[in-house]
Amino acid sequence: MRLLASLPYPFELRFMARALVAGVTVGVFAPMIGTFLVQKKMSLIGDGIGHVAFAGVGAGVVASGGAVASVLPLWTALVFAVGGALGVEWLRSRRKASGDLALALFFYSGIALGVVLVSLGGGLNANLLIFLFGQPLTVNGGELTLILVLGGVIVAAMLVLRRALFAVVTDEEWARVSGLPVGLVNNVLAVLTATAVVAAMRIVGILLIAAMMVLPVASGQQLARSFRATLRWSVAVSVGSVVLGLSASRIWGLAPGGTIVLIAAAVFAVVATVRRGVPSRLPVTEGADV
C-alpha cells in the first residue's frame, strides 16, 4: 500500500491507484484468455457470457435487497457466468447447437433474465450501469481484493494448462487422439472465461469485456511470429491500453472503460495499417512455442 501511495500523477490519489491495480490485473488476464478463444474461433463468447453474468448481477441485487454496492452481485454474477459458460460448452460439444447458436441462446436469455431480475430489485439505476459499462475509478477495497484473487487464479491456471489448452484449441481431434481430456480442458477454459468476465466487469463493463479479450489479441497476431509471442504482445497492448485509458480519463474527464477499449482499438488500427503490405509472418498455429 505504501508503494501505491507514492505513485506519480495521474495515479497519486487512492482511487486512481486502486483503479490502476485493478485495471492492470484485468489487462493481463483478459488477453491471456482471449488468445486461446481467438485461436478456437470463439471470440464472442465473452460477450455472451457477459450477458448471462448480468442476470447474476440482477439476482444478487434482489438477494441483497437492492444493495447494488455490495460485493454479493459479483459473486452471483460469477455463479451465473460459470453456469452459462458450461452450458454453451455442453451444447457445442454435443453438437446440439453450433457455437454461434449456443452463444445466441444464452446471450438473449441472459439479458432478458437480467432485465426481469433488475426490475424486481428496484429497476435500472446509475449503480447498475457500472456493471454494464464499467467504472474502475469507483472500485472499492473488497472489489479490488476479489479482482486480484480471481485474476491470480486465472493467470496461474493458464500458465499450468497452457500446453494442453493450446493443443485443444488448435486441433481437438488431434488432441483427443493424443489422449488429452478434451472435454475437461474445454470446460476449464469455459470456467476461466466466465471468471475473467466477472473479474473484469467493474473495469470495462459487461458490454465491453469481449473487446479486451479480442482487440489486444488482434494486434498481437499482427506483431508476433509464434503463439507465445502473440500472448506476450497481447498482454503488453492490453496493459498499455489500460494505463493510457485511465490516464486520459483522469486528465480529460472521459469514461475510463470506453477510453481503454478505444485505445486498444486504435492500437490495432495503427498496427494493421503499418503491417499492410509487409510480407506475412508465420501463422500463430505454427511453432507451438507456448
Side-chain angles (χ1 to χ4, degrees):
M1 294 306 295
R2 182 175 300 176
L3 178 62
L4 294 182
S6 63
L7 290 175
Y9 179 86
F11 301 108
E12 81 283 6
L13 299 178
R14 184 179 295 274
F15 74 91
M16 286 298 299
R18 283 198 297 260
L20 179 63
V21 173
V24 168
T25 303
V26 172
V28 171
F29 68 69
M32 287 184 70
I33 292 283
T35 304
F36 290 93
L37 295 178
V38 170
Q39 185 74 10
K40 195 178 180 182
K41 295 180 171 56
M42 292 193 70
S43 304
L44 295 179
I45 190 172
D47 209 8
I49 293 175
H51 285 74
V52 177
F54 182 63
V57 171
V61 171
V62 172
S64 61
V68 180
S70 71
V71 181
L72 182 59
L74 288 175
W75 286 110
T76 52
L78 180 60
V79 172
F80 274 66
V82 168
L86 291 175
V88 169
E89 181 56 34
W90 185 84
L91 290 174
R92 187 196 65 83
S93 64
R94 284 159 179 74
R95 304 291 194 274
K96 293 183 179 296
S98 66
D100 289 343
L101 187 58
L103 277 177
L105 173 64
F106 283 88
F107 186 113
Y108 298 121
S109 300
I111 197 67
L113 179 59
V115 170
V116 170
L117 290 173
V118 164
S119 67
L120 292 175
L124 191 64
N125 55 50
N127 289 328
L128 278 171
L129 291 179
I130 289 174
F131 292 103
L132 292 175
F133 301 107
Q135 181 47 274
L137 305 186
T138 62
V139 170
N140 59 41
E143 291 168 337
L144 177 59
T145 300
L146 181 59
I147 291 171
L148 288 173
V149 170
L150 294 180
V153 170
I154 293 168
V155 172
M158 298 296 290
L159 291 176
V160 171
L161 300 173
R162 64 189 186 280
R163 294 185 182 278
L165 287 169
F166 177 80
V168 171
V169 301
T170 302
D171 189 336
E172 280 196 12
E173 294 305 318
W174 179 88
R176 189 172 284 108
V177 171
S178 300
L180 287 174
V182 173
L184 176 61
V185 172
N186 277 327
N187 284 332
V188 169
L189 180 59
V191 171
L192 291 175
T193 302
T195 306
V197 167
V198 173
M201 198 162 52
R202 288 287 279 106
I203 307 304
V204 292
I206 289 170
L207 300 181
L208 295 175
I209 176 54
M212 289 304 292
M213 290 183 173
V214 174
L215 289 176
V217 178
S219 298
Q221 287 183 328
Q222 295 286 324
L223 295 166
R225 293 179 180 270
S226 68
F227 189 85
R228 176 184 288 181
T230 299
L231 195 60
R232 289 175 174 174
W233 272 109
S234 301
V235 171
V237 170
S238 180
V239 171
S241 299
V242 168
V243 174
L244 290 175
L246 290 175
S247 300
S249 70
R250 170 77 186 281
I251 295 169
W252 292 298
L254 305 175
T259 304
I260 291 169
V261 172
L262 284 176
I263 290 174
V267 171
F268 171 69
V270 171
V271 170
T273 300
V274 172
R275 287 280 301 150
R276 184 176 297 173
V278 178
S280 1
R281 299 172 180 241
L282 291 174
V284 295
T285 53
E286 292 188 14
D289 183 18
V290 295

